[in-house]
Amino acid sequence: MSAELIRDPREWQRRCWSARVQGRRLALVPTMGFLHEGHLSLMREARRLADAPVLARGQPEEAGQERAGGLALATIFVNPTQFGPAEDLARYPRDLEGDLAKCSAAGIDWVLAPERAGQVYGDGHETWVEVERVSRGLCGEKRPGHFRGVATVVTKLFNLTLPHVALFGDKDWQQLQVIRALVRDLDFGIDVVGMPIVREHDGLARSSRNAYLSGDERRRALALSRALFEARDRAAAGERDAAALVAGATRALVAVGARVDYVEVVHPTKLARVARAETGSRMLLAAFVGATRLIDNAALP
Ligand code: AMP
């Protein structure tokens, strides 16, 4: 089956709301497109959850409604409000035709891909969603306004779609915490599913932005995942001092000429910095390789 492309957010809303009323289970994967194996793992899981005989955790059953077939839904929208003025909005990679073929292969039913940002943000848009605590620090500090843009567009996509379940990648760990807080605090009643990071064979986390890397930068970019894996091994061997783990990872990044944005060991959900790495603590890092900013993270054992 091929995925059906819908351009108009209003038509998307009409169709999703009507499907919801009919009792169909809706599983949503929001993306910015230029799809890779990381996105596709979310989409295949969305297909599975849409078809699952029982709703995912925590979903109230819609009593008395007949269950029609579930729908796996994806959105492709390069959201301008989550980019800073000096960031890569204008050159963000795009390939709608290729993306649609990949969505089809992953079992997606409908794809919302607005043609213009103005279809999503109407004239005079003035309402913003701010998730305060977990948006601070890390990418929130380095990219002011980024998570406000993310929380706002995700809120809009949730309202346009009314999904039962929405899937996000652990790759954007802070974003996942922002969305979990958003859903909890604003009573969206959506089951948020976090999916493991999909990596290249050598360890580099899959990212649409990897397309920016030259051959040499691609080799140097390996330092991000290697720094995380080394920190993980050291923690497994008993090193609990977060500062020592951060220093080691920073050295590994600097050694390949990467410009470090941050390296931190944090509480996995609160994202507050910790002095000692406990089980479940997470190392998060961001660094520029050439002009390309990459992020990655890993749980410490
Ligand atoms: P993006 O298109 O970069 O906004 O990503 C859309 C969704 O795919 C987000 O929930 C990301 O966390 C997720 N994602 C991106 N890269 C990966 C990856 N390598 N592994 C797992 N999920 C990913």
Side-chain angles (χ1 to χ4, degrees):
M1 276 288 285
S2 63
E4 186 180 350
L5 172 64
I6 297 172
R7 290 300 215 165
D8 177 10
R10 295 294 142 228
E11 185 194 343
W12 175 268
Q13 182 171 36
R14 268 194 306 278
R15 291 175 57 163
C16 290
W17 284 31
S18 134
R20 173 96 192 201
V21 168
Q22 288 161 19
R24 303 180 75 173
R25 183 172 324 132
L26 309 185
L28 174 69
V29 180
T31 81
M32 298 204 298
F34 210 70
L35 302 177
H36 51 68
E37 203 39 53
H39 299 113
L40 301 183
S41 70
L42 273 58
M43 293 181 180
R44 287 190 287 263
E45 181 65 4
R47 175 76 271 157
R48 200 184 67 78
L49 290 173
D51 294 337
V54 289
L55 292 175
R57 282 167 288 115
Q59 284 297 332
E61 278 283 354
E62 271 114 320
Q65 281 174 2
E66 205 156 301
R67 165 79 34 75
L71 286 170
L73 306 168
T75 62
I76 296 176
F77 178 57
V78 182
N79 172 38
T81 68
Q82 70 188 70
F83 286 78
E87 294 183 352
D88 56 341
L89 172 63
R91 66 182 193 113
Y92 196 84
R94 289 168 169 83
D95 174 20
L96 184 57
E97 206 179 312
D99 286 352
L100 283 175
K102 290 174 188 169
C103 287
S104 300
I108 291 293
D109 295 303
W110 301 344
V111 177
L112 171 66
E115 286 172 280
R116 293 169 289 101
Q119 293 175 286
V120 176
Y121 293 96
D123 284 345
H125 180 99
E126 57 177 326
T127 305
W128 300 97
V129 182
E130 196 101 45
V131 177
E132 294 190 352
R133 188 169 44 81
V134 290
S135 295
R136 282 191 209 121
L138 304 163
C139 285
E141 183 185 326
K142 300 295 176 180
R143 305 182 67 187
H146 171 65
F147 287 119
R148 180 176 100 143
V150 169
T152 301
V153 80
V154 169
T155 296
K156 288 170 72 66
L157 293 171
F158 283 171
N159 285 333
L160 287 168
T161 310
L162 299 184
H164 295 86
V165 47
L167 298 93
F168 297 87
D170 290 350
K171 157 88 180 348
D172 300 273
W173 186 261
Q174 188 176 15
Q175 169 175 284
L176 178 58
Q177 308 318 312
V178 167
I179 289 159
R180 287 194 190 286
L182 169 72
V183 165
R184 177 196 66 206
D185 294 347
L186 298 186
D187 309 305
F188 276 99
I190 294 169
D191 199 4
V192 174
V193 173
M195 294 288 291
I197 301 174
V198 176
R199 300 181 175 279
E200 303 278 1
H201 294 299
D202 58 6
L204 179 69
R206 295 276 184 132
S207 165
S208 306
R209 289 189 167 100
N210 291 350
Y212 296 145
L213 301 170
S214 69
D216 176 56
E217 288 168 344
R218 171 67 182 75
R219 280 186 289 279
R220 288 156 55 210
L222 255 193
L224 278 83
S225 53
R226 291 213 169 134
L228 289 169
F229 299 158
E230 190 194 305
R232 206 171 58 185
D233 293 345
R234 287 180 67 195
E239 178 60 87
R240 295 278 135 198
D241 179 22
L245 296 171
V246 165
T250 305
R251 267 196 306 275
L253 293 171
V254 170
V256 299
R259 183 158 63 78
V260 176
D261 222 11
Y262 63 77
V263 179
E264 288 189 28
V265 178
V266 300
H267 183 279
T269 55
K270 297 176 180 162
L271 303 184
R273 230 176 266 165
V274 296
R276 284 182 60 76
E278 310 288 350
T279 303
S281 298
R282 221 157 168 110
M283 178 175 273
L284 275 63
L285 51 79
F288 286 88
V289 178
T292 304
R293 184 177 183 277
L294 300 172
I295 60 173
D296 201 349
N297 70 88
L300 299 177

